[in-house]
Amino acid sequence: MYKILAADDEEDTRDTLCNCFPWESVGFTVVHQAGNGLEALSYLEANPVDVLLCDIRMPMMSGLELCKQIHQRRMGVRIVLLSAYRDFEYAREAMTYGVSHYMLKPAKYDDIVGVFTQLKTALDEAKDSLAAEAAEHGGALPGSGWGDPVISTIVKCVNADYRTVTLQLVSETVEMNSSYVSVYFKKKTGMHFSEYVLKVRMEKAAELLKHGYMKAFEVSEAVGYANPKNFIRAFKQFHGITPGQFKNGR
C-alpha cells in the first residue's frame, strides 16, 4: 500500500474523503490527516509518504505554498491538489511545482479512482525501474523505498563516492536537511544511511581482495578507511572473516 497524507482545513470534508472512499481498493492508505499546510509540512519532515492529497486554500500555509516547499526541498512526494475554485492560475502555478493532478471539489468517486489508479501505475513503474537500477549498482535494499527519486539519488551518490561520502554531502546533493535525510532513508529502505555506506564499502573491499594483488591496508585506503585496524574490524563484522582469510579463500 502506498501512503497518503491528506491536508484540508475543512474537517468534515477531510474526514469524509479519508474514511468513506475505499483507498485500499486502489492500492493506497491514508496514514495521517492535517488541518493546514504547516501541520502537513511538519509531518512530512519526519514521516515520508508517497502522495499528498491537499486542498489549495488553507490557513497558516496554503496548499500552493506547501507544494512549493516540497518542490524546493525535493521531498519526492507526488501531489494531488483539491480546490473548489475553477481558477486556471491555481492550476498553472501548481504545475510549476511538479503537482501530479488537480481536481475540483467535491471530488467525484470516478475521478478519484482514475487519478489514483494512474498514480499507482506511475509509482509501481518507478519502483520497478529504480529497483533494477539499484541491483546493477550495489544490490537491492530491504524496504519499499525504490519508488522514490530522492533515495535513488542518494544511492547513486554513495555508489559513486563511497570512499568519502557523508550524510552531509548527500543532504546537500538532494537539498534537504541532514536530519530529515537520515529519517527519510531509514523509513524508505529499512536501513540506516551509515549501514548502507558500510554495505557498499565492504562489498567493494571484497571485490578488490578477490583480485589478489592488493594488500589489506591498500584496500582499506581504497574504500575510505585511514586506519587499517578499523577496516579489518569492520570487514570481519560484516563478512564474518578477516580480509586475510577472505583473500586466502577461507
Side-chain angles (χ1 to χ4, degrees):
M1 292 288 175
Y2 292 108
K3 299 177 181 179
I4 298 174
L5 166 63
D8 193 325
D9 60 315
E10 297 178 1
E11 186 174 354
D12 291 342
T13 300
R14 189 179 71 238
D15 286 344
T16 299
L17 183 60
C18 292
N19 299 317
C20 295
F21 182 82
W23 291 106
E24 288 76 10
S25 67
V26 289
F28 291 85
T29 182
V30 177
V31 294
H32 188 73
Q33 297 182 38
N36 58 67
L38 281 178
E39 183 183 338
L41 183 60
S42 178
Y43 184 86
L44 285 170
E45 288 175 338
N47 302 275
V49 300
D50 300 294
V51 178
L52 169 68
L53 179 59
C54 180
D55 189 21
I56 280 187
R57 293 200 175 188
M58 294 185 293
M60 302 179 73
M61 177 184 284
S62 71
L64 286 178
E65 180 59 30
L66 175 58
C67 294
K68 182 179 179 180
Q69 290 294 321
I70 290 170
H71 178 71
Q72 291 179 341
R73 301 186 191 194
R74 297 187 181 181
M75 287 183 167
V77 180
R78 306 293 176 106
I79 302 171
V80 178
L81 278 181
L82 288 166
S83 176
Y85 304 93
R86 295 176 178 271
D87 193 323
F88 176 72
E89 288 303 315
Y90 282 132
R92 186 169 65 178
E93 184 176 354
M95 294 305 125
T96 67
Y97 301 138
V99 171
S100 300
H101 295 84
Y102 182 93
M103 297 193 301
L104 293 175
K105 295 171 65 176
K108 297 179 181 179
Y109 181 92
D110 289 345
D111 290 341
I112 299 173
V113 171
V115 165
F116 280 86
T117 297
Q118 291 179 41
L119 273 177
K120 185 178 185 302
T121 299
L123 288 166
D124 286 344
E125 290 176 349
K127 180 171 69 173
D128 292 342
S129 175
L130 292 172
E133 181 179 327
E136 295 178 4
H137 300 89
L141 294 172
S144 58
W146 289 113
D148 188 293
V150 173
I151 297 299
S152 176
T153 299
I154 292 173
V155 166
K156 287 179 181 178
C157 288
V158 173
N159 283 282
D161 302 308
Y162 55 84
R163 186 175 180 274
T164 59
V165 71
T166 64
L167 179 61
Q168 183 61 39
L169 285 174
V170 298
S171 299
E172 292 173 359
T173 299
V174 298
E175 297 181 358
M176 291 182 181
N177 178 275
S178 59
S179 296
Y180 177 77
V181 169
S182 180
V183 173
Y184 196 92
F185 194 88
K186 180 66 167 64
K187 289 276 187 180
K188 285 290 185 177
T189 69
M191 295 179 73
H192 291 290
F193 174 77
S194 58
E195 291 178 316
Y196 182 66
V197 173
L198 175 66
K199 175 181 180 292
V200 173
R201 286 177 171 176
M202 291 301 103
E203 290 178 348
K204 182 62 177 179
E207 289 180 18
L208 294 173
L209 288 168
K210 282 180 182 178
H211 293 304
Y213 59 83
M214 294 183 72
K215 296 180 180 179
F217 77 89
E218 293 174 321
V219 174
S220 170
E221 183 177 353
V223 297
Y225 286 83
N227 188 331
K229 290 183 179 180
N230 291 339
F231 165 68
I232 292 171
R233 185 183 304 110
F235 190 94
K236 186 174 182 180
Q237 289 177 344
F238 188 86
H239 290 287
I241 56 177
T242 66
Q245 291 171 327
F246 182 89
K247 187 175 182 180
N248 293 327
R250 297 180 187 176

